[in-house]
């Protein structure tokens, strides 16, 4: 049975260390290696950095053996949808989508109305 | 000062001027890179003055290099001043700003800072011993501490204000020239490609560009990158974070 953890945090940069610590704690609980933990922290950090600095964001974590699913949103920045498009990334292009493709096992973007989006990330531990 | 020394200095200034002319008049990015390489020893010398204050020397050098880049970009070729003279206050200012912005980090308990310093070697040793990345619990066991302390100590090293490269200046003359260029980029096609970071990738130091390329183009894990570039895994992780944050700031 997966464990659920939910968190609502300000988008302000000042709170990124707090979010990182919590993500680290959750990844530790899932017995992630340092590599995987660092990847997940980076994915969330970059995504929140792109989402602006105003307002709040809800993060919901689903912890399963060897895997963590994260639901982030709703996010209001429409530019994020473009930034998260996986198609058309040129070789050498370092977009948010390319970063997420590298550091998480999968991600998806869901439009939830009025241009708001929810981003879902899944990170599998090495060897899972 | 000997004639030979004076002649060498004069020749060096002339070369700088030619490179600056090529950069500012022709937009020659290669000239910019040459200038950075030529003046990195100055950055290293200035960075060493700030060593031992809770920040790895490499990180201070990296921040100093940002100051150097700013100096190169805002240098007025019409002024009769050497680039090194002009760059020095920029580099020092950037380093001081970095320490000021990270004031919270260098006030963390000494024990946590020491744990952070020990962790880097421990992670590399455990990775080598186990053939995989160690978990936080394994790192904590090895260091005879708790997972919570390990996470906090990691944060001491990895926390990085995304604003630290450009905030804090109230002086217009001290504004970030890279940032102003970035604003033009952002206005130009913000809606089409808001997170396109590649326009500013070229401005990073060569080592950071290589690390980003190995990670995000070739998809190598941090452990392999660390071996390839001769740094600890933790340091690679920090450089990736800082580089991405700095690039993001450039686009704002």
């Amino acid at each position: 049975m997966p464990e659920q953890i939910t968190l609502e945090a300000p988008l302000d940069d000042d709170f990124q260390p707090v979010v990182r610590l919590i993500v680290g704690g959750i990844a530790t609980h899932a017995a992630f290696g340092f590599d995987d933990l660092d990847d997940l922290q980076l994915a969330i950090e970059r995504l929140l950095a792109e989402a602006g600095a105003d307002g709040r964001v809800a993060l919901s974590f689903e912890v399963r053996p060897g895997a963590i699913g994260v639901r982030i949103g709703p996010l209001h920045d429409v530019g994020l949808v473009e930034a998260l498009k996986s198609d058309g990334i040129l070789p050498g292009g370092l977009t948010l989508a390319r970063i997420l493709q590298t550091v998480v096992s999968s991600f998806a973007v869901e439009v939830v109305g009025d241009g708001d989006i929810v981003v879902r990330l899944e990170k599998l531990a090495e060897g899972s | 000062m000997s004639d030979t020394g004076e002649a060498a200095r004069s020749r060096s200034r002339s070369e700088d001027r030619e490179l600056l002319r090529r950069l500012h008049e022709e937009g020659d990015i290669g000239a910019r890179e040459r200038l950075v390489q030529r003046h990195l020893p100055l950055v290293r010398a200035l960075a060493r003055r700030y060593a031992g204050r809770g920040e790895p020397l490499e990180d201070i050098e990296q921040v100093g290099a940002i100051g150097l880049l700013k100096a190169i970009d805002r240098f007025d070729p019409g002024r009769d001043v050497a680039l090194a003279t002009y760059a020095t206050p920029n580099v020092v200012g950037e380093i001081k700003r970095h320490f000021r912005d990270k004031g919270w980090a260098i006030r963390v308990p000494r024990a946590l800072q020491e744990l952070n310093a020990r962790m880097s070697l421990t992670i590399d040793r455990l990775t080598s011993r186990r053939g995989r990345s160690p978990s936080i619990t394994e790192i904590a066991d090895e260091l005879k501490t708790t997972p919570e302390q390990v996470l906090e100590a990691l944060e001491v090293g990895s926390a990085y204000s995304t604003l630290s490269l450009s905030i804090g200046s109230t002086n217009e003359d001290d504004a970030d020239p890279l940032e102003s260029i970035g604003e033009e980029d952002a206005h130009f096609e913000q809606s089409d490609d808001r997170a396109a970071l590649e326009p500013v990738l070229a401005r990073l130091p060569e080592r950071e560009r290589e690390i980003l390329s190995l990670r995000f183009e070739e998809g190598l894990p941090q452990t392999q990158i660390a071996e390839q570039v001769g740094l600890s895994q933790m340091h690679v992780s920090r450089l990736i974070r800082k580089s991405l944050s700095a690039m993001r700031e450039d686009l704002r």
Side-chain angles (χ1 to χ4, degrees):
Chain A
M1 184 75 176
E3 293 291 343
Q4 298 273 354
I5 297 162
T6 56
L7 162 73
E8 189 177 309
L11 277 167
D12 191 288
D13 289 328
D14 286 351
F15 287 88
Q16 284 217 358
V18 177
V19 173
R20 259 202 309 268
L21 263 177
I22 292 168
V23 173
I26 292 169
T28 299
H29 187 77
F32 272 30
F34 173 75
D35 264 2
D36 294 327
L37 174 150
D38 198 63
D39 280 348
L40 186 60
Q41 284 180 326
L42 183 67
I44 294 172
E45 179 181 316
R46 294 322 314 157
L47 186 58
L48 296 187
E50 292 291 341
D54 299 324
R56 304 174 67 80
V57 63
L59 298 100
S60 172
F61 299 85
E62 189 177 283
V63 187
R64 303 184 299 277
I68 296 175
V70 193
R71 180 188 189 278
I72 303 169
L75 296 165
H76 309 290
D77 194 319
V78 289
L80 261 178
V81 177
E82 291 296 326
L84 286 164
K85 279 185 178 166
S86 307
D87 51 341
I89 301 176
L90 298 172
L94 190 45
T95 62
L96 180 60
R98 168 65 60 87
I99 293 168
L100 293 184
Q101 279 173 350
T102 306
V103 298
V104 295
S105 308
S106 64
F107 76 92
V109 181
E110 191 183 316
V111 178
V112 292
D114 284 343
D116 290 354
I117 60 165
V118 164
V119 181
R120 292 178 188 275
L121 311 174
E122 182 164 65
K123 180 69 180 172
L124 305 178
E126 186 185 2
S128 295
Chain B
M1 186 182 307
S2 72
D3 285 348
T4 310
E6 181 59 42
R9 190 163 302 193
S10 174
R11 195 166 52 248
S12 177
R13 281 184 66 167
S14 296
E15 287 167 5
D16 277 351
R17 290 206 157 276
E18 171 57 16
L19 290 167
L20 285 162
R21 187 197 63 75
R22 279 164 45 192
L23 170 65
H24 288 284
E25 292 180 16
E26 300 170 13
D28 183 347
I29 297 301
R32 189 172 188 260
E33 278 202 23
R34 285 284 313 282
L35 285 163
V36 170
Q37 292 304 320
R38 287 165 64 85
H39 291 276
L40 272 182
L42 169 69
V43 172
R44 291 194 190 104
L46 293 170
R48 274 197 295 276
R49 294 185 193 171
Y50 295 86
R53 301 187 186 195
E55 283 279 84
L57 180 58
E58 294 95 326
D59 290 359
I60 304 170
E61 287 176 357
Q62 193 197 17
V63 172
I66 300 284
L68 172 62
L69 279 169
K70 290 179 179 180
I72 291 170
D73 285 349
R74 71 173 63 153
F75 188 85
D76 177 5
R79 288 179 60 187
D80 185 26
V81 61
L83 177 61
T85 306
Y86 182 76
T88 297
N90 283 272
V91 172
V92 170
E94 200 66 39
I95 292 172
K96 284 182 175 174
R97 207 159 29 243
H98 174 73
F99 274 102
R100 187 188 62 214
D101 293 343
K102 288 203 68 175
W104 67 270
I106 55 178
R107 284 195 298 272
V108 298
R110 188 168 188 80
L112 219 49
Q113 291 185 35
E114 287 172 357
L115 183 59
N116 177 274
R118 288 163 58 209
M119 219 148 50
S120 186
L121 277 176
T122 303
I123 290 172
D124 289 350
R125 190 171 59 238
L126 288 176
T127 301
S128 171
R129 191 189 299 165
R130 296 168 193 270
R132 60 169 172 77
S133 192
S135 70
I136 297 300
T137 306
E138 289 168 337
I139 298 167
D141 287 346
E142 184 79 2
L143 290 167
K144 298 184 172 38
T145 185
T146 64
E148 290 78 11
Q149 287 277 295
V150 170
L151 285 170
E152 279 192 67
L154 272 176
E155 189 55 34
V156 170
S158 66
Y160 179 73
S161 165
T162 55
L163 300 176
S164 65
L165 295 176
S166 53
I167 64 166
S169 170
T170 53
N171 180 350
E172 196 178 323
D173 189 46
D174 201 28
D176 184 343
L178 301 183
E179 193 173 316
S180 66
I181 293 169
E183 278 172 15
E184 288 177 19
D185 291 343
H187 290 309
F188 184 57
E189 275 193 318
Q190 190 168 37
S191 61
D192 290 332
D193 202 359
R194 187 176 183 280
L197 298 171
E198 56 267 47
V200 289
L201 184 61
R203 303 182 205 189
L204 292 175
E206 190 177 342
R207 180 184 62 177
E208 278 74 355
R209 285 205 309 269
E210 182 189 0
I211 289 173
L212 290 182
S213 167
L214 291 170
R215 185 73 185 104
F216 297 109
E217 282 183 51
E218 299 187 27
L220 293 187
Q222 286 177 12
T223 43
Q224 284 184 35
I225 297 171
E227 278 176 25
Q228 203 156 322
V229 299
L231 296 172
S232 70
Q233 190 184 340
M234 258 177 73
H235 197 172
V236 168
S237 162
R238 267 207 309 272
L239 288 177
I240 289 174
R241 268 208 173 86
K242 287 189 173 187
S243 300
L244 293 176
S245 292
M247 289 166 69
R248 179 69 257 156
E249 276 309 300
D250 264 6
L251 282 179
R252 278 185 180 172

